[in-house]
Amino acid sequence: MSQSVRTRPEGSGQALSEAYDTALLDLDGVVYAGGNAIAYAVESLATARAGGMHLAYVTNNALRTPDTVADHLTELGIPTGADDVITSAQAVARLISEQVPAGARVLVIGGEGLRVALRERGLVPVESAEDDPAAVVQGYGGPELQWARFAEACYAIARGVPWYASNTDLTIPSARGIAPGNGAAVEVVRIATGAEPQVAGKPLPPMHRETILRTGARRPLVVGDRLDTDIEGAFNGEVDSLLVLTGVTDGARLLAAPPQHRPTYVDADLRGLLTGQPEVVEAGDGFRCGGWTATAGVDRLELDGDGEDLDGLRALCAAAWTAAGEGVCALDAGKALARLEL
């Protein structure tokens, strides 16, 4: 399953849904936003699935159970079973089960998703530090999670109980905007205890391992909108990735990406699964993609040509990342991006 990590834009002569056996899809910003399906998502996923691609949905949100997530996707017009959903709660529950005795008690600071995942691994969720837990696990508990729950975690950790976190995303999108995520809650406990949790979620290896174990993917493609979770997770798992520009990442962030945040492919939305990806080739001192060429000068990127905007962005990325090497690109890309309206 492992393959060489590619950190420059690549092309594919086949549709990605044919070149890869499984799509490991992030949800918010990729499939839906604010609970509603993103444009082209439903149709694109249906076509990919009809062509034989296995679709799996991978989320760092430990609050909702796989059944709840599957029901939501089905309501949006994307038929999904609970077995097609992989959560950070499942990844952290497996991690804990490998380090504590069978049937051990685990203090839960979070929601139902964590409790269901722990029971699946034969562990017993408890609510108090006085219940003699063998571990503390912390996951997103929603806006109703009480402050007293953090204190309960601190009491147990102070007694030497090992601490685990489903994920450390500092923020989570909501219908009203950006809200504090589990990472913000983890910081509360970290500050109070001075301890460090073992973390399972994207972009760390336990989450990628969980997706492969549950899907059986042999040639997976990670599909996401976030560089620091989805794309870095693919990098850590040594698999290819597709960045879609329907979520939090824009052209400027992409161009400044360090190697571990550089996707294999870039496309506007999930329609990118259904097509081949244009090749980015060396051209003189720069790179060409479609009708665009891009070169890296001393302190700026130069873009020339005409054609599809994304072709220009792919050429810009190749030029910027080659110039940056293992560092973060600091070249002035403002005027080049302005030509692409990105």
Side-chain angles (χ1 to χ4, degrees), residues 112-327:
E112 186 62 15
L114 275 178
R115 293 179 178 86
V116 169
L118 289 169
R119 293 189 189 104
E120 182 186 26
R121 301 254 70 87
L123 301 171
V124 180
V126 297
E127 302 301 315
S128 171
E130 308 308 316
D131 291 328
D132 193 27
V136 177
V137 64
Q138 189 170 359
Y140 183 66
E144 292 79 27
L145 187 67
Q146 296 180 350
W147 189 260
R149 301 306 299 151
F150 303 144
E152 211 62 47
C154 293
Y155 301 147
I157 294 166
R159 297 171 187 172
V161 177
W163 176 31
Y164 300 80
S166 63
N167 67 296
T168 52
D169 298 38
L170 290 173
T171 61
I172 190 168
S174 75
R176 296 177 59 191
I178 299 299
N182 191 53
V186 166
E187 285 301 308
V188 171
V189 177
R190 191 201 310 268
I191 291 168
T193 63
E196 291 289 336
Q198 292 189 52
V199 183
K202 295 184 285 186
L204 297 175
M207 186 66 169
H208 184 73
R209 180 180 62 146
E210 192 71 20
T211 65
I212 299 305
L213 287 172
R214 288 181 178 271
T215 63
R218 299 186 63 83
R219 185 165 171 75
L221 177 70
V222 170
V223 184
D225 71 309
R226 296 186 70 106
L227 301 178
D228 59 348
T229 53
D230 305 317
I231 306 307
E232 185 176 340
F235 179 90
N236 290 337
E238 298 184 349
V239 300
D240 289 346
S241 60
L242 166 66
L243 177 77
V244 290
L245 300 176
T246 48
V248 300
T249 301
D250 58 16
R253 288 189 180 92
L254 180 59
L255 286 169
Q260 69 271 24
H261 291 173
R262 297 172 185 172
T264 315
Y265 311 106
V266 181
D267 219 309
D269 50 56
L270 286 176
R271 288 177 294 179
L273 283 174
L274 308 180
T275 64
Q277 294 291 313
E279 189 176 7
V280 182
V281 297
E282 294 186 21
D285 295 331
F287 294 87
R288 183 179 72 251
C289 185
W292 294 93
T293 58
T295 56
V298 175
D299 60 359
R300 67 193 315 169
L301 289 167
E302 300 291 344
L303 180 66
D304 184 55
D306 190 17
E308 293 294 329
D309 288 355
L310 276 171
D311 288 346
L313 180 60
R314 295 177 184 110
L316 278 172
C317 286
W321 297 344
T322 299
E326 295 302 304

